[in-house]
Amino acid sequence: EPEVTQTPSHQVTQMGQEVILRCVPISNHLYFYWYRQILGQKVEFLVSFYNNEISEKSEIFDDQFSVERPDGSNFTLKIRSTKLEDSAMYFCASTLPASGEKLFFGSGTQLSVL
Amino acid sequence: TQLLEQSPQFLSIQEGENLTVYCNSSSVFSSLQWYRQEPGEGPVLLVTVVTGGEVKKLKRLTFQFGDARKDSSLHITAAQPGDTGLYLCAGARGTDKLIFGTGTRLQVFP
């Protein structure tokens, strides 16, 4: 079964550093999402992306965050200057219209900001 | 703000017991999904319910969507240790973002 893949599985970085989290959505999917889950808390929506642009973003997704689909395959989340509170599990998801709104999630990238 | 509240937050039961998890909101959703999440993994979809009043069964799991499409329940019959995990409901409106519930952490002891 096709799956969403995320790399790296773990990322440790120093506060203030830039990080790029990578995702390869399922190839024929058209909608892409980033969610995050701080340890012990609920899964929170960050941003949705369709037709090469952001379709919606949450208040968490401030100017420090950006997304890109550089080559029609990868979908990246960049955090320009990481803060301690950015430490979380970041999940990428994708879906195809008419799939019954089923989102396919990757296994996540655990980001630890020291 | 669309909120999905799940109850209970934590549930510890013995193998063989039955349980029900509730997911409630004041908002109407076009569909409601239930996910299970293992530690260190992404959420995995269990079921999607679309029609108000709909009931879906997945082996020992029974999912129901409220008539007004604002709430849902998950009932597990004869729970097993393999059912242990974090259960998440999530409401959707078309291809709009999913709003996740607060989660129910289930522990089933042998």
Side-chain angles (χ1 to χ4, degrees):
Chain A
E1 185 174 315
E3 58 181 24
V4 175
T5 56
Q6 288 185 243
T7 55
S9 56
H10 294 85
Q11 174 89 51
V12 181
T13 189
Q14 294 288 329
M15 192 170 57
Q17 294 295 305
E18 175 184 285
V19 294
I20 297 176
L21 309 183
R22 302 180 193 281
C23 169
V24 180
I26 295 172
S27 60
N28 61 338
H29 284 190
L30 300 177
Y31 290 84
F32 313 109
Y33 307 82
W34 282 100
Y35 287 81
R36 80 171 186 191
Q37 187 176 32
I38 295 171
L39 185 63
Q41 298 186 25
K42 70 178 195 176
V43 178
E44 300 174 292
F45 168 77
L46 292 178
V47 66
S48 58
F49 192 86
Y50 170 71
N51 201 25
N52 283 319
E53 61 183 22
I54 291 173
S55 51
E56 188 173 358
K57 59 184 180 180
S58 72
E59 58 191 24
I60 301 169
F61 194 89
D62 61 21
D63 291 345
Q64 294 301 311
F65 291 85
S66 62
V67 289
E68 207 174 34
R69 189 158 161 79
D71 55 12
S73 174
N74 293 283
F75 180 50
T76 61
L77 174 69
K78 182 194 289 186
I79 309 176
R80 286 189 187 80
S81 178
T82 50
K83 303 188 285 286
L84 295 176
E85 54 264 38
D86 293 327
S87 295
M89 185 74 115
Y90 287 80
F91 293 106
C92 172
S94 68
T95 192
L96 183 66
S99 68
E101 299 163 344
K102 177 179 179 178
L103 260 62
F104 292 79
F105 282 85
S107 54
T109 293
Q110 179 65 58
L111 176 65
S112 298
V113 182
L114 306 179
Chain B
T1 303
Q2 304 160 9
L3 288 175
L4 276 167
E5 296 287 340
Q6 285 184 239
S7 61
Q9 276 189 298
F10 301 96
L11 194 54
S12 292
I13 60 172
Q14 290 295 128
E15 183 176 2
E17 291 184 28
N18 301 331
L19 67 115
T20 302
V21 177
Y22 299 94
C23 174
N24 295 295
S25 175
S26 58
S27 300
V28 175
F29 295 99
S30 59
S31 70
L32 205 135
Q33 303 175 13
W34 284 93
Y35 290 82
R36 189 172 121 186
Q37 186 181 17
E38 305 281 355
E41 297 290 329
V44 175
L45 181 67
L46 296 173
V47 79
T48 300
V49 284
V50 178
T51 308
E54 181 177 4
V55 176
K56 277 192 176 177
K57 292 196 173 185
L58 189 66
K59 296 183 182 178
R60 293 176 294 100
L61 278 60
T62 302
F63 305 85
Q64 182 161 12
F65 202 9
D67 291 341
R69 290 187 286 127
K70 292 181 180 181
D71 54 82
S72 181
S73 63
L74 157 61
H75 182 80
I76 301 179
T77 303
Q80 298 176 3
D83 296 327
T84 294
L86 178 66
Y87 289 82
L88 300 163
C89 66
R93 292 182 178 179
T95 47
D96 198 0
K97 62 181 183 288
L98 276 181
I99 304 294
F100 277 86
T102 47
T104 294
R105 193 165 297 279
L106 172 65
Q107 177 81 52
V108 182
F109 292 98

